Amino acid sequence: MVVCGDDGLAHRLAAELRGVYREQVTLVVPPSGRRVRQPVVGRARAASAALRDMVNAAVNRTGNSDAAGGTGGTGGPGRELEATEPTEDVLADAGVERATALALVYDDDETNIRAALTARRLNPRLRLVLRLYNRRLGQHIEELLDQSAALASGGGPGSGSGSTTVLSDADTAAPALAATALVGTSKVVETDGLLLRAVERNPPRPGEVADPGLCTLALLSATSNDPAGADGSEDSGENGPQLLPDAAAVEAATGRGTVALEQVSYSGPPLPAGRAGVPAFGELFSRRLRWSLAGLAACVVALAVALMVVTGDHPLHATYVTLLDLFSINEPAHNADIGRQILQLLSGFVGLLLLPVLLAAVLEALGTFRSASTLRKPPRGLGGHVVLLGLGKIGTRVLTRLREMDIPVVCVEADPEARGMATARRLRVPVVLGDVTQEGVLEAAKIHRAHSLLALTSVDTTNLEAVLYARSVRSRLRVVLRLYDDDFATAVYRTLRAAHPRALTRSRSVTHLAAPSFAGAMMGRQILGAIPVERRVLLFAAVEVAGHPQLEGKTVGEAFRAGAWRVLALEVSDGERTAGADSPSEGARESRLVWELPDTYVLRGSDRVVLAATRRGLAELLGRRARQQSPG
């Protein structure tokens, strides 16, 4: 395996492949002086020690363990190369011509695309995994590279070798970060129109029977105040979170929350772009101005009808003459009868009333267009909203996700040219420009009336400073921090829990959430997405049954392994019916995925299933398959 990158995701992905999948990894990173982030845990330990000293001075230390499950050790052979750019010589030195898979996770899309085209030419059968922020461009690049591999190797693009997978760490982490900011919000994995919805449920009351939904995916930690608390790490024992528990474990667990797969369906179209265009008529003019315009139009119609009755003119000619009188461009009716003269005077009076209304309409329209193209300020009386810090790649995706759920958001950004400023204008989201560490910035975002705070800047210390200041303003504010290092997250969590035991605190690492999906794609499986369970990760993958002795020839019930993997659905062709289904409703559906499979259904080698798996469970499946297919 070859991993090329310039930030924390590359190091986290290499650690995932070595520690979980036990693969030989070559890591290509920029020279030490040009790295955006130092490797994995280097710089965070000094900050953790300083933070512990601050805790000792402020509050008593607690003996609780943290919810910071790491990616595992860096076990497994490998080497590290330093190169400024992934040129052809660098890729050749890294062994791309002999590699099984290559991950290009640079922060720049153009760098990843250029290296992918070079690597595909060096090794047409290479499995490529690209990190691209531009989703539409990623689809075209994936098709192009797959077609190139098929023509060069003579096989099909879906043959398993020479395949290309385009992923985005922002898209992978955004649903989890958005859901974490809201109590009771479901966690969603969405890809290619498929929507998996996992709901976090509180423990049932005495006498109540918990509804497992389609299945129970996880048991939360045995902590009453904060499920993501001290017992939420991967090595927290029986009191920590349990992924994919069996029926006996679910029944025996009392007083513990669960994560259940409640609903599976296909998602609708993405957020329409109409909000970015010209504002609707109702948004151009105020309600009072619209009523004024409607009243004047009614007066014009009444005058035209009256003129038609008095003079006997044709309706069109009567309307034309009325408009001439209205705009004072008609000849005075000196020689006309008294009725015509009165109507001309009334038309002139209505014309005088029309001028200020037209001027007000023009000014309001210009003001509406101006406000649509500029940043909005938080409205007065706003409350119960989410304060989002940072409009970079991650913050932009989280903002879009929150607005799709119709959740009020106020953004705080220091850079007026940040990536997400255009998205904030398009969605008409209030933005406060300023450094979050400066006094008065969070107050302008109405932090004292906010529901939760999402600190998603790329600097851990900035996120921590903003959260500490926000907690000083509102002690019970729900906060979610983006923290890169697990040890640093441990110290942060202990500090905040000791100082504010009744407040809810979450820490999330974007690289920690994204690395399992990238690693699974490098191993040759389609990772549909990942759902965070505290600081652990549950993966959803599409797997071919053939070649897996743990699945092939076994029933769905026999293939289930608690804590490792569980078959959720079976992919069927159009018109195909599932053997063992009890009713037509369990057969082929329009989605071509059969859910709620009977435990007696026998998995065949030609089947393709969707399963939920832990990282180590998926590593066991993929590792055995890889050894069986190796030339040796």
Side-chain angles (χ1 to χ4, degrees), residues 295-443:
L296 289 175
C299 291
V300 172
V301 173
L303 289 172
V305 172
L307 183 62
M308 181 183 64
V309 172
V310 171
T311 62
D313 286 347
H314 188 273
L316 292 179
H317 185 265
T319 303
Y320 172 70
V321 172
T322 300
L323 291 176
L324 291 178
D325 293 336
L326 187 71
F327 294 110
S328 301
I329 57 178
N330 197 8
E331 292 292 337
H334 293 295
N335 300 322
D337 55 16
I338 187 65
R340 174 71 182 88
Q341 293 176 352
I342 293 175
L343 288 176
Q344 190 176 55
L345 291 175
L346 291 177
S347 298
F349 179 72
V350 173
L352 292 176
L353 297 178
L354 180 62
L355 290 177
V357 174
L358 292 178
L359 179 61
V362 172
L363 294 178
E364 277 202 8
L366 291 176
T368 302
F369 278 109
R370 183 178 180 182
S371 62
S373 60
T374 58
L375 297 175
R376 301 182 62 194
K377 296 182 179 180
R380 294 181 180 180
L382 179 64
H385 57 287
V386 175
V387 177
L388 175 62
L389 308 184
L391 285 177
K393 293 196 307 181
I394 306 300
T396 303
R397 289 286 192 256
V398 173
L399 172 61
T400 304
R401 177 72 59 170
L402 291 173
R403 293 305 299 136
E404 287 175 350
M405 296 188 291
D406 294 327
I407 296 169
V409 184
V410 174
C411 300
V412 179
E413 175 57 53
D415 183 10
E417 304 297 328
R419 184 190 296 264
M421 298 299 285
T423 301
R425 292 189 184 96
R426 175 174 62 86
L427 299 178
R428 305 189 69 184
V429 174
V431 177
V432 177
L433 282 175
D435 188 354
V436 72
T437 60
Q438 299 295 325
E439 187 176 356
V441 174
L442 285 179
E443 283 82 355

Side-chain angles (χ1 to χ4, degrees), residues 68-343:
T71 58
T74 57
R79 63 190 180 114
E80 181 173 321
L81 300 178
E82 291 188 352
T84 305
E85 293 183 359
T87 60
E88 181 175 351
D89 293 338
V90 171
L91 294 177
D93 189 21
V96 167
E97 297 177 354
R98 304 179 304 276
T100 302
L102 167 66
L104 296 168
V105 293
Y106 290 93
D107 192 54
D108 180 54
D109 287 1
E110 182 179 351
T111 301
N112 293 327
I113 294 174
R114 188 187 306 115
L117 296 174
T118 303
R120 178 60 77 214
R121 179 167 49 84
L122 294 176
N123 186 355
R125 300 184 62 84
L126 180 69
R127 187 181 300 124
L128 284 175
V129 178
L130 278 74
R131 171 191 183 183
L132 295 182
Y133 181 79
N134 191 326
R135 288 175 286 189
R136 179 174 298 179
L137 176 61
Q139 295 176 356
H140 296 308
I141 292 297
E142 185 173 347
E143 295 174 359
L144 174 65
L145 292 174
D146 282 345
Q147 183 178 1
S148 174
L151 294 176
S153 61
S159 60
S161 61
S163 62
T164 306
T165 304
V166 176
L167 298 174
S168 169
D169 57 334
D171 289 334
T172 303
L177 293 171
T180 308
L182 305 166
V183 178
T185 299
S186 59
K187 303 169 184 178
V188 176
V189 175
E190 185 176 4
T191 178
D192 296 332
L194 179 65
L195 183 70
L196 302 174
R197 182 170 180 262
V199 180
E200 185 174 315
R201 296 178 175 176
N202 296 324
R205 298 178 181 178
E208 293 183 351
V209 178
D211 181 14
L214 294 178
C215 67
T216 300
L217 297 177
L219 296 174
L220 299 178
S221 299
T223 42
S224 57
N225 293 331
D226 189 355
D231 298 324
S233 65
E234 294 192 2
D235 301 321
S236 53
E238 60 182 8
N239 291 327
Q242 297 183 24
L243 303 184
L244 302 176
D246 54 18
V250 174
E251 185 177 355
T254 57
R256 300 179 65 169
T258 60
V259 177
L261 189 65
E262 186 178 69
Q263 175 185 346
V264 181
S265 62
Y266 276 80
S267 64
L271 188 67
R275 306 175 74 168
V278 178
F281 179 81
E283 297 181 0
L284 276 176
F285 308 117
S286 65
R287 183 178 181 182
R288 182 179 300 177
L289 185 59
R290 293 198 303 269
W291 277 110
S292 299
L293 290 173
L296 289 175
C299 291
V300 172
V301 173
L303 289 172
V305 172
L307 183 62
M308 181 183 64
V309 172
V310 171
T311 62
D313 286 347
H314 188 273
L316 292 179
H317 185 265
T319 303
Y320 172 70
V321 172
T322 300
L323 291 176
L324 291 178
D325 293 336
L326 187 71
F327 294 110
S328 301
I329 57 178
N330 197 8
E331 292 292 337
H334 293 295
N335 300 322
D337 55 16
I338 187 65
R340 174 71 182 88
Q341 293 176 352
I342 293 175
L343 288 176

Side-chain angles (χ1 to χ4, degrees), residues 10-26:
H11 298 280
R12 184 83 71 170
L13 177 57
E16 185 87 10
L17 293 170
R18 292 168 179 168
V20 178
Y21 295 92
R22 301 298 175 185
E23 290 290 333
Q24 182 178 358
V25 181
T26 298

Side-chain angles (χ1 to χ4, degrees), residues 454-516:
L454 271 171
L456 302 182
T457 69
S458 58
V459 182
D460 290 355
T461 54
T462 300
N463 295 333
L464 175 60
E465 184 176 355
V467 167
L468 292 177
Y469 181 76
R471 278 283 171 81
S472 67
V473 176
R474 187 177 180 184
S475 60
R476 295 194 178 185
L477 179 68
R478 181 183 182 93
V479 299
V480 180
L481 298 88
R482 175 187 175 186
L483 297 179
Y484 170 67
D485 180 71
D486 292 322
D487 290 341
F488 192 36
T490 300
V492 168
Y493 178 79
R494 289 177 177 174
T495 304
L496 295 178
R497 185 171 185 179
H500 306 280
R502 295 186 179 182
L504 293 175
T505 303
R506 299 289 187 270
S507 64
R508 294 291 183 262
S509 168
V510 174
T511 58
H512 181 74
L513 295 172

